[in-house]
Amino acid sequence: MWIPITLAVLVFLALAFRGLGLLAWTASAAVILIGWRLTGVAMPLAFMTTAGALIVVAAVFGIPLIRRHLVSRFIMPIFAKVLPRLGDTERVALEAGTVWWDADLFSGMPEWQKLLDFRAQPLSAEEQAFLDGPVNDFCRAIDDWEVYQQRDLSPEVWALIRKYRLFGMIIPRQYGGLGFSAIAQSRIITRISSRSITAAVTVMVPNSLGPGELLLHYGSEAQKQRYLKRLADGEEIPCFALTGPEAGSDAAATQSEGIVEKRVIDGKEVLGLRCNWKKRYITLAPVATLIGLAFRIKDPHKLIGDEEDRGITCALIPRNTPGVEIGLRHDPMGVPFHNGPIVGHDVWIPMEAVIGEMDGIGKGWRMLMESLAAGRSISLPALSVGAAQMATRICGAYATVREQFDTPIGRFEGIEEPLARIAGMTYLMTATRTLTCAALDAGEKPAVIGSIAKAYLTDSMRQVVSDAMDIRAGSAIQRGPRNSLSRAWDAVPIGITVEGANILTRSMIIYGQGAIRCHPFVQKEIDAIAHKDLKAFDLAIFGHVNLIVTRSVRAVLLALTGSHLAGAPRTEDTARYYQHLSRLSAAFTILSDTAMGTLGGSLKRREKISGRLADALAYLFLASAALKRYHDEAKTTANHALVRWSVELCLYRTQEAILGVLENLPTRPAAWLLGWLIFPLGARFRPPADRIGTRVARDILEDRQTRHDLTADVFIPAGDQPGLGMLEAALDKAVAALPVETKLRDAVRAGTLDRAPGHMLDDHGLAAGVISQEEYDRLNEARDLRDEVVQVDAYDPEKFKSMR
């Protein structure tokens, strides 16, 4: 009897592991029973009775036609009371954009080959030429220290913005724009941000959420013809007024409103809106000529329909419209990009000013949510990558050039540790940026992934720049033309705060949206109940049950076998990482479903748990991006060390996020059961080992190609320019002088020369004939330039008083 029982259990586990459900189990059980009968071996009555009962139960729950009438029609009313009802505003926010690889991670069975077969769109020849030509010209024209002193970009730089149509990267050619891909926009912003964050913010905002983006997707043809070419040429400078004193994170709560009314203008009765608003934190507002405005339309006299509240709407308002107060400036952390408030008092605009005209009334919230889904994926992640790549470039050079105790500081383990974090995080951030933009270029609008990229890349920028400041030490805290890091440090809180503060994005948006949009069944259940569709509800709810059972089996089997049962791409030398991520994806799925099932609607108020679930999903995605990058690029030793560091960090952080949820789930029996399923042998993932960090740090110190590949988007100034330009020149001289320094050190060890500091050792070596005059000159040129780049800026006291 035990043979068929054992066989049945093994079949059940195998089918569950592969994600197959009740119908497959029913068929398999029937086959086992029939097969046993055909063998002629007697079957115990108790076993036959039990097996028969199980088959009947499996048939009832596994065959949709039977299940619908015997089960689903009774439980549907119960779920209708439990599942959250979504208001229109909440539904629009949840449905914004599309789902992509995030849905695979939510499924608990990610199809890795699908990700690896996905081809990211490369830069076109024209985009590459633009990056290497006009963008570099633009960067050369910027003196970022002078921008800080003058509190604005120079007239020359503003003229280049217009000349190169940098406000029109997203605008198609037919409307006078550049029509560039998402990855081209990202790399352009990254390069500019490595030269000047002020310039990068100025350029990126019109190409993110703003009039151009909204007009392109929702404007009438007449509006496109009127505005898009002027926006692309820089004839119009746009801003978008969304945030107000009463509506920051909760932008839908705006008190800005427009009242529908008629006025007689030039003898004709015209339908329009009388608008009042107070907005703040609006980038480019002080210099904007065209204002995009989000407000709520009220129609008390029912002039355009039967409803008084017509919902959030977006409109375009010229700066010179009577009643508009604009021009004051905020001071965001001293970074001098234009930012300020806008106030409107009884501003009257015709209906033609509404984006989309009459068809656009009440559709503003959807416009904003869908546009943010794309905008978050490009601009702020690109700026974060720019800061990280610049920090990598600076620290890789500085830790080689700067010496203490006659040794480059990068050789000390205390410096190796933050160097490894800088390089590893830069690799991970760039990989995430690239994969996210690739999704956009493939036609996706990945709302959840865009939120992950925005929140986790801006937060990673904070870590990278902080580590770089520590390595530069005293020279990092003295402001001046030589110090680019201090200006990046000033800007860190801005990226973390704007376009949805990271606290909000992590604790509410990522998982709150992902749990419904990315989950295979939750949205289907909600929609089925809303439409009273029994068939759809039946398929969704029992698909959900099947998901929980099969992923639970999968999670525990993978945990017990060290992830070895999970499939992985055969050609990859990183196969174990794919297996571990598959295991954690299954664990995330059952953890997510348990949190939703036990907490219900209160989960959205349990922001600590929601935030940890967001962490788990985010690091699964970041690890996927790192593996995808490694797959697509050259398989070098340095890249292997970088992907190992990146993925091991993500595995550890995913594990810690899951443990944090388990430790804090209010329903303790469910948490204990999940703990056994997910970590039956304990939590075994660890952060990257020191030996991997040492390899990563050494590669950016010693391997010039690796350092170049990690910082491919950084603008390198001329060698006579203070800051990165001179540092690069000093590195080149230091590398050329290394063989000479080695010769002198060997002579000291051999006893041919006495130990002496710096230039004295050079003099002794020349006098003793250990080095030639040419080598002596090369060595001293390197020492002189090294001495120059470790200096910091100092000012006359009177000039200091006028500095900013």
Side-chain angles (χ1 to χ4, degrees):
M1 183 175 79
W2 292 108
I3 294 176
I5 293 176
T6 303
L7 181 60
V9 170
L10 291 176
V11 168
F12 164 78
L13 292 176
L15 292 174
F17 185 80
R18 296 182 64 83
L20 300 176
L22 284 170
L23 193 57
W25 302 348
T26 305
S28 299
V31 168
I32 291 171
L33 287 175
I34 292 170
W36 191 3
R37 293 289 295 183
L38 292 176
T39 63
V41 178
M43 184 179 296
L45 179 61
F47 179 76
M48 285 185 63
T49 304
T50 303
L54 289 174
I55 289 175
V56 170
V57 171
V60 169
F61 285 92
I63 300 174
L65 184 62
I66 299 174
R67 185 180 63 213
R68 245 188 338 264
H69 296 287
L70 296 183
V71 182
S72 297
R73 70 190 183 97
F74 296 107
I75 64 174
M76 187 175 175
I78 299 172
F79 273 80
K81 297 177 182 178
V82 174
L83 286 176
R85 289 188 177 91
L86 303 179
D88 290 341
T89 299
E90 197 172 16
R91 182 178 294 277
V92 167
L94 287 170
E95 292 177 355
T98 61
V99 295
W100 187 59
W101 182 247
D102 41 338
D104 268 73
L105 295 173
F106 245 98
S107 75
M109 289 183 66
E111 297 180 35
W112 295 110
Q113 199 59 49
K114 180 176 74 174
L115 178 67
L116 299 187
D117 290 342
F118 171 72
R119 289 289 172 259
Q121 177 179 319
L123 293 184
S124 68
E126 182 182 7
E127 289 169 341
Q128 185 66 58
F130 188 86
L131 188 64
D132 294 338
V135 174
N136 282 345
D137 290 343
F138 180 70
C139 290
R140 271 189 289 270
I142 300 170
D143 182 337
D144 200 40
W145 177 248
E146 191 61 23
V147 170
Y148 267 66
Q149 301 314 303
Q150 300 303 321
R151 309 299 289 156
D152 197 359
L153 300 173
S154 69
E156 176 191 5
V157 172
W158 277 106
L160 289 175
I161 288 175
R162 295 182 174 92
K163 176 182 177 181
Y164 293 136
R165 293 177 291 170
L166 288 170
F167 283 168
M169 287 190 283
I170 64 168
I171 296 175
R173 298 176 185 279
Q174 70 210 65
Y175 297 111
L178 297 172
F180 280 169
S181 64
I183 188 60
Q185 295 174 49
S186 177
R187 293 192 61 186
I188 288 167
I189 293 167
T190 297
R191 181 157 298 179
I192 295 171
S193 68
S194 74
R195 181 61 167 164
S196 168
I197 288 178
T198 300
V201 172
T202 301
V203 167
M204 79 188 195
V205 167
N207 290 286
S208 183
L209 176 62
E213 173 84 4
L214 295 174
L215 279 171
L216 187 60
H217 296 292
Y218 311 105
S220 67
E221 187 58 34
Q223 290 172 331
K224 293 177 183 178
Q225 293 292 344
R226 179 180 180 186
Y227 287 116
L228 286 179
K229 187 176 188 305
R230 291 159 61 184
L231 287 168
D233 291 342
E235 184 179 345
E236 298 275 14
I237 298 177
C239 70
F240 193 84
L242 175 60
T243 302
E246 78 292 342
S249 298
D250 185 11
T254 181
Q255 295 176 16
S256 304
E257 66 176 21
I259 307 298
V260 180
E261 61 181 32
K262 290 180 179 179
R263 290 191 180 185
V264 176
I265 299 176
D266 296 331
K268 294 174 59 177
E269 191 175 65
V270 179
L271 190 65
L273 298 161
R274 176 171 51 84
C275 303
N276 287 277
W277 72 83
K278 290 182 180 179
K279 302 289 187 178
R280 63 183 184 184
Y281 311 151
I282 312 305
T283 299
L284 292 185
V287 293
T289 62
L290 184 65
I291 304 162
L293 180 72
F295 60 101
R296 186 176 294 276
I297 285 185
K298 298 290 183 64
D299 185 16
H301 304 297
K302 310 293 178 62
L303 297 177
I304 58 174
D306 295 331
E307 297 179 25
E308 180 177 344
D309 187 345
R310 299 307 298 263
I312 293 176
T313 300
C314 298
L316 296 176
I317 303 175
R319 179 191 183 100
N320 58 6
T321 303
V324 173
E325 295 179 10
I326 191 171
L328 296 178
R329 292 187 68 169
H330 296 311
D331 185 10
M333 295 300 295
V335 184
F337 62 89
H338 286 274
N339 186 275
I342 307 176
V343 177
H345 295 293
D346 290 336
V347 178
W348 198 87
I349 59 173
M351 282 296 182
E352 289 76 11
V354 171
I355 294 177
E357 302 190 23
M358 292 297 291
D359 287 341
I361 291 174
K363 297 179 181 176
W365 187 238
R366 180 173 295 278
M367 293 179 186
L368 294 171
M369 291 300 97
E370 291 180 349
S371 295
L372 274 171
R376 276 182 180 166
S377 303
I378 300 176
S379 295
L380 286 168
L383 186 144
S384 303
V385 169
Q389 288 194 11
M390 182 183 69
T392 301
R393 192 90 185 192
I394 288 173
C395 291
Y398 187 79
T400 300
V401 169
R402 176 65 163 161
E403 291 187 347
Q404 293 287 275
F405 310 105
D406 290 330
T407 304
I409 63 170
R411 295 289 183 179
F412 295 101
E413 287 194 359
I415 300 295
E416 267 187 5
E417 192 171 9
L419 269 180
R421 281 197 300 268
I422 290 170
M425 290 305 301
T426 298
Y427 182 89
L428 185 59
M429 291 167 68
T430 305
T432 303
R433 178 277 301 268
T434 301
L435 185 59
T436 304
C437 287
L440 288 168
D441 286 328
E444 301 290 342
K445 288 188 175 181
V448 175
I449 287 175
S451 295
I452 289 172
K454 186 274 169 185
Y456 288 81
L457 266 58
T458 54
D459 205 59
S460 296
M461 172 179 66
R462 170 162 50 191
Q463 176 70 68
V464 170
V465 176
S466 176
D467 281 332
M469 294 283 287
D470 287 350
I471 291 172
R472 290 294 302 267
S475 64
I477 60 174
Q478 304 302 330
R479 296 175 65 242
R482 298 169 182 264
N483 185 1
S484 301
L485 279 177
S486 67
R487 299 191 285 281
W489 178 251
D490 290 341
V492 163
I494 300 171
I496 286 169
T497 300
V498 299
E499 287 193 22
N502 284 4
I503 287 179
L504 166 78
T505 304
R506 173 184 175 268
S507 63
M508 293 179 66
I509 293 176
I510 292 173
Y511 186 75
Q513 190 174 35
I516 294 178
R517 289 303 312 282
C518 302
H519 194 284
F521 300 107
V522 170
Q523 187 165 12
K524 294 177 182 177
E525 291 163 359
I526 293 173
D527 290 343
I529 287 174
H531 294 95
K532 298 180 179 178
D533 186 336
L534 178 61
K535 182 177 181 181
F537 174 78
D538 171 80
L539 292 174
I541 196 67
F542 281 96
H544 198 157
V545 170
N546 178 67
L547 182 80
I548 295 171
V549 174
T550 59
R551 297 323 184 258
S552 297
V553 170
R554 188 174 177 82
V556 72
L557 288 179
L558 288 175
L560 290 170
T561 60
S563 310
H564 281 286
L565 291 179
R570 294 180 181 177
T571 59
E572 294 296 314
D573 53 3
T574 49
R576 290 291 290 143
Y577 294 136
Y578 290 94
Q579 292 176 322
H580 290 320
L581 288 170
S582 291
R583 170 193 167 185
L584 290 178
S585 173
F588 172 77
T589 299
I590 60 173
L591 180 67
S592 173
D593 274 314
T594 302
M596 286 190 286
T598 58
L599 293 173
S602 69
L603 178 57
K604 64 182 179 182
R605 295 188 295 276
R606 298 274 188 162
E607 294 173 17
K608 296 174 186 176
I609 289 176
S610 181
R612 293 185 183 105
L613 288 166
D615 289 341
L617 178 62
Y619 285 111
L620 287 172
F621 178 71
L622 266 63
S624 302
L627 288 168
K628 171 66 172 168
R629 177 177 182 177
Y630 181 71
H631 174 268
D632 290 346
E633 293 183 347
K635 301 293 191 294
T636 64
T637 302
N639 281 347
H640 191 250
L642 284 163
V643 76
R644 289 182 64 195
W645 191 96
S646 299
V647 178
E648 289 182 17
L649 176 73
C650 291
L651 289 170
Y652 175 71
R653 289 187 174 175
T654 303
Q655 171 187 272
E656 294 306 291
I658 291 173
L659 287 172
V661 176
L662 291 174
E663 290 165 1
N664 292 281
L665 267 181
T667 308
R668 298 313 301 158
W672 296 329
L673 175 61
L674 277 181
W676 183 82
L677 290 174
I678 295 172
F679 298 116
L681 303 178
R684 297 195 167 190
F685 293 110
R686 296 292 180 266
D690 286 349
R691 66 181 183 278
I692 302 175
T694 296
R695 179 71 267 167
V696 167
R698 290 291 174 85
D699 283 335
I700 64 167
L701 293 173
E702 300 171 0
D703 187 335
R704 302 296 293 280
Q705 187 60 48
T706 297
R707 182 168 168 269
H708 171 78
D709 291 344
L710 272 176
T711 60
D713 292 321
V714 172
F715 173 76
I716 309 299
D720 60 349
Q721 300 225 344
L724 181 57
M726 292 183 69
L727 187 56
E728 286 289 316
L731 178 63
D732 290 339
K733 297 292 184 183
V735 171
L738 275 175
V740 187
E741 291 182 343
T742 301
K743 189 182 292 188
L744 289 173
R745 289 192 180 105
D746 288 344
V748 170
R749 281 194 291 269
T752 307
L753 290 176
D754 292 331
R755 184 178 299 277
H759 288 282
M760 290 179 61
L761 183 61
D762 306 345
D763 294 339
H764 294 168
L766 179 63
V770 174
I771 59 175
S772 67
Q773 183 65 47
E774 186 274 332
E775 289 174 320
Y776 176 84
D777 293 340
R778 191 194 321 162
L779 192 58
N780 276 273
E781 189 177 5
R783 291 195 190 281
D784 290 343
L785 196 49
R786 177 185 284 129
D787 291 343
E788 177 62 28
V789 297
V790 300
Q791 302 304 316
V792 297
D793 296 293
Y795 308 96
D796 175 87
E798 290 304 314
K799 182 178 180 182
F800 183 81
K801 291 179 183 178
S802 64
M803 284 172 45
R804 298 179 185 271

